[in-house]
């Protein structure tokens, strides 16, 4: 190969002014691109190990926000015991609340209620409500019982139901104790004796 066969590469030698002009042009493009980014581009990635919110992350219904079907004749309602967990397998927790009217003496009858979260009022619909809703009654106050221990384990409500063998037993001192459980089945809560779980 003769030297005359080599291409003339003189025009490919970059001079410092060429590099400065290229760098200035690139800086301008980058600055312009930064100004034109949409607002959503400023969102940050979740922290390592974070996961998206799911139904299981929903808070349990707040028993203090429910209206209970108790006839308290102007006396406030007390809710001494609650337990929360997913009872129907939909991934959202329910709350079970033992509620009674506040009494000056004796042991007032309890109601045991299942609560769900209220429908969202985000759409402002006429049916929207705030707070928890009573969707089932497990123990009716008319049965003149009270509730001892209360828990939810593996979707099953367990409680100690306290009662009286006769009307002669003072209302302060229940003399019967029964461990019972309720399990959601076929669209209703079925009550059985507790199995010692």
């Amino acid at each position: 190969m003769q030297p005359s066969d080599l291409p003339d590469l003189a025009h490919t030698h970059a001079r410092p002014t060429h590099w400065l002009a290229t760098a200035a042009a690139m800086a301008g493009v980058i600055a312009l691109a930064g100004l034109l980014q949409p607002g959503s581009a400023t969102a940050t990635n979740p922290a390592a190990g974070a996961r998206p919110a799911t139904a299981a992350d929903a808070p349990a219904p707040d028993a203090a926000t429910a209206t209970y079907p108790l006839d308290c004749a102007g006396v406030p309602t007390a809710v001494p015991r609650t337990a929360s967990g997913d009872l129907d397998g939909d991934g959202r927790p329910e709350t079970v609340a033992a509620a009674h009217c506040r009494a000056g003496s004796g042991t007032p009858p309890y109601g045991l209620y299942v609560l769900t979260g209220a429908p969202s009022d985000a759409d402002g619909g006429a049916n929207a409500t705030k707070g928890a809703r009573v969707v089932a009654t497990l123990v009716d106050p008319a049965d003149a019982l009270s509730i001892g221990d209360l828990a939810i384990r593996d979707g099953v409500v367990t409680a100690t139901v306290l009662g009286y063998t006769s009307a002669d037993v003072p209302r302060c001192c229940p003399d019967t104790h029964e461990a019972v459980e309720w399990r959601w089945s076929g669209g209703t809560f079925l009550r059985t004796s507790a199995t010692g779980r």
Side-chain angles (χ1 to χ4, degrees):
M1 179 178 277
Q2 300 294 325
S4 60
D5 293 335
L6 295 174
D8 182 11
L9 301 178
H11 68 280
T12 62
H13 293 280
R15 293 188 168 82
T17 55
H18 172 80
W19 290 115
L20 287 175
T22 302
M26 291 300 293
V29 169
I30 291 170
L32 183 59
L35 293 175
L36 297 178
Q37 289 292 324
S40 62
T42 61
T44 59
N45 290 330
R51 58 181 174 75
T54 64
D57 297 325
D62 182 357
T65 65
T67 300
Y68 298 95
L70 295 168
D71 182 10
C72 292
V75 176
T77 301
V79 184
R81 291 177 187 79
T82 64
S84 297
D86 182 10
L87 299 177
D88 56 5
D90 67 352
R92 298 180 187 277
E94 285 78 33
T95 295
V96 177
H100 63 79
C101 300
R102 291 190 189 274
S105 61
T107 303
Y110 279 60
L112 188 61
Y113 304 103
V114 177
L115 312 175
T116 63
S120 170
D121 60 349
D123 60 1
N127 294 328
T129 59
K130 294 184 184 282
R133 293 181 305 131
V134 173
V135 294
T137 300
L138 304 180
V139 173
D140 193 312
D143 296 334
L145 300 170
S146 56
I147 304 298
D149 296 329
L150 176 63
I152 295 176
R153 292 183 195 91
D154 301 324
V156 178
V157 179
T158 59
T160 303
V161 178
L162 311 173
Y164 308 90
T165 53
S166 74
D168 297 330
V169 176
R171 296 297 103 171
C172 67
C173 309
D175 62 346
T176 66
H177 303 75
E178 182 185 7
V180 296
E181 60 187 27
W182 291 265
R183 184 182 318 268
W184 180 254
S185 178
T188 190
F189 285 98
L190 300 179
R191 176 178 167 165
T192 58
S193 293
T195 59
R197 295 152 52 84

